[in-house]
Amino acid sequence: MHKQEAIKKLKDHNYKLTPQRELILDIMLNQQGYLSVREIYEKVKEVFPQVSIDTVYRNLSLLKDINILNETTIGNNIMYVMRKEIHNHTMRCLKCGKIFELDICPLELWINQIKDFEIVDHKIEIVGYCKDCMSNKN
Amino acid sequence: MHKQEAIKKLKDHNYKLTPQRELILDIMLNQQGYLSVREIYEKVKEVFPQVSIDTVYRNLSLLKDINILNETTIGNNIMYVMRKEIHNHTMRCLKCGKIFELDICPLELWINQIKDFEIVDHKIEIVGYCKDCMSNKN
DNA sequence: TATTAAATAAGAAATATTTCTTAATTAAGA
DNA sequence: TCTTAATTAAGAAATATTTCTTATTTAATA
């Protein structure tokens, strides 16, 4: 997702491009992994110290509603990440051979925590049994 | 980590094996991925409806202290998983070729959310630059 | 530039999470 | 079975997160 694309989506829905909203967009565009609301709020405050946390909640939720961000819940925690169009990760069924796209990247949750390694690329290969083959593996 | 091993660790530290503590251990042993404190608390309550959430916090923290559980923070959320001895996932440096062990499995955070697929195995391959080679890639 | 619907900050309110205190209970070993 | 240090439940307290209300400000378009 490019910035112009995101801005167009906002306009198409008659939402305004406020400085706060644009900053949140920039933060998410410059971020590989998932961030919690609090982490995003802290980053916004660096530029707008007076920002209301309500503004952050409101905008993240809105950006999710118009499919700019993906929202996920880990434990009790709401987290956001830029939406991806390309699906690099798949699950392959050992029985029927069907390939299922993983619309999430498990690595994105960890990327922020890996400090001593500059990640260039990664592959994830999951194998197992799909819904249809689960009960009939032979 | 097997149950007897965990119990021995408790005894070695002069900790008692209470029913609540044993249940928490069982829950974690029967769980592939990370769970939040709340998720664990809900499971404990199914057996001990009167359990205090403080008991859950206390025991999880204790089990982490004696290296039975791994604790991680995702966003604002504390999560726990059984400690693994086997490191299946590595990061390989493109420059010096060194292999670094990943003591976490990024997939464990997602495993609980994958409902329609029975995972048998998975591989994660990360490539990039290690700390020493980051600034000198040629 | 004037208009107006959308968005904002501020603060309160509602929930949720985490830690603490205390008195009662209990696991484990003598 | 007795003893005792460890553990517990209960409830309060301290924090943290999320939502709501209101008055004010502002982006976008005419």
Side-chain angles (χ1 to χ4, degrees):
Chain A
M1 171 95 49
H2 294 94
K3 190 169 176 180
Q4 287 318 310
E5 216 181 319
I7 290 174
K8 186 174 181 310
K9 276 201 179 189
L10 282 169
K11 305 282 168 176
D12 288 349
H13 287 83
N14 289 323
Y15 294 130
K16 295 176 181 176
L17 186 66
T18 64
Q20 294 90 336
R21 186 167 288 165
E22 186 174 5
L23 176 59
I24 290 172
L25 203 49
D26 287 336
I27 288 166
M28 298 312 287
L29 282 162
N30 285 305
Q31 176 63 35
Q32 270 212 287
Y34 278 85
L35 289 176
S36 66
V37 178
R38 173 143 297 276
E39 287 166 325
I40 297 162
Y41 175 57
E42 295 300 335
K43 285 174 191 286
V44 175
K45 268 210 296 198
E46 288 170 16
V47 180
F48 300 111
Q50 301 300 312
V51 74
S52 166
I53 196 165
D54 181 54
T55 296
V56 177
Y57 275 101
R58 199 167 4 85
N59 279 303
L60 289 172
S61 178
L62 181 151
L63 292 172
K64 177 204 68 179
D65 288 345
I66 59 175
N67 289 320
I68 289 175
L69 298 182
N70 266 349
E71 184 190 88
T72 192
T73 300
I74 302 297
N76 324 311
N77 210 209
I78 304 169
M79 305 194 72
Y80 291 93
V81 74
M82 283 302 294
R83 217 177 143 77
K84 286 256 172 51
E85 280 83 20
I86 305 157
H87 302 276
N88 279 317
H89 309 307
T90 53
M91 298 192 293
R92 177 169 51 86
C93 181
L94 291 168
K95 173 92 189 299
C96 67
K98 273 207 203 82
I99 304 281
F100 298 86
E101 281 177 349
L102 257 185
D103 59 350
I104 50 92
C105 169
L107 208 64
E108 279 174 348
L109 279 160
W110 280 107
I111 272 177
N112 304 332
Q113 294 184 35
I114 296 171
K115 302 294 183 200
D116 292 348
F117 201 88
E118 183 188 325
I119 295 172
V120 173
D121 197 14
H122 69 273
K123 280 183 208 167
I124 296 181
E125 188 192 19
I126 295 171
V127 293
Y129 295 98
C130 73
K131 204 179 181 180
D132 295 337
C133 300
M134 262 183 203
S135 52
N136 174 29
K137 292 172 190 166
N138 301 320
Chain B
M1 173 92 51
H2 293 95
K3 189 168 179 182
Q4 287 316 312
E5 218 181 316
I7 290 174
K8 186 176 181 309
K9 277 201 178 191
L10 282 168
K11 304 284 170 174
D12 289 348
H13 287 83
N14 288 323
Y15 293 129
K16 295 176 180 174
L17 186 67
T18 64
Q20 294 90 337
R21 186 167 288 164
E22 186 174 4
L23 176 58
I24 289 171
L25 202 51
D26 287 336
I27 289 166
M28 297 314 286
L29 283 163
N30 285 305
Q31 177 63 35
Q32 270 211 290
Y34 278 86
L35 288 176
S36 66
V37 178
R38 173 143 296 278
E39 287 166 324
I40 297 163
Y41 174 57
E42 295 300 337
K43 285 174 191 286
V44 175
K45 269 210 296 197
E46 289 170 15
V47 179
F48 300 112
Q50 299 301 311
V51 74
S52 165
I53 196 166
D54 182 54
T55 296
V56 177
Y57 275 102
R58 200 167 5 86
N59 279 304
L60 290 172
S61 179
L62 181 152
L63 292 172
K64 177 204 66 179
D65 288 344
I66 59 175
N67 289 320
I68 289 176
L69 298 182
N70 266 348
E71 183 191 88
T72 193
T73 301
I74 301 297
N76 324 312
N77 210 210
I78 304 170
M79 304 194 72
Y80 291 92
V81 75
M82 282 303 294
R83 216 177 146 76
K84 285 255 170 55
E85 283 81 21
I86 304 156
H87 301 276
N88 280 317
H89 308 308
T90 56
M91 298 192 293
R92 177 169 51 86
C93 181
L94 291 167
K95 172 91 189 300
C96 68
K98 273 206 202 84
I99 304 280
F100 298 86
E101 280 178 350
L102 257 185
D103 58 351
I104 49 91
C105 169
L107 207 64
E108 280 175 348
L109 280 159
W110 279 108
I111 273 177
N112 304 333
Q113 295 185 35
I114 297 172
K115 302 291 182 202
D116 292 347
F117 201 88
E118 182 187 326
I119 295 172
V120 172
D121 197 12
H122 68 274
K123 282 182 206 170
I124 296 181
E125 187 191 22
I126 295 171
V127 294
Y129 295 99
C130 74
K131 204 177 179 179
D132 296 337
C133 300
M134 262 184 204
S135 51
N136 174 31
K137 292 173 191 167
N138 300 317

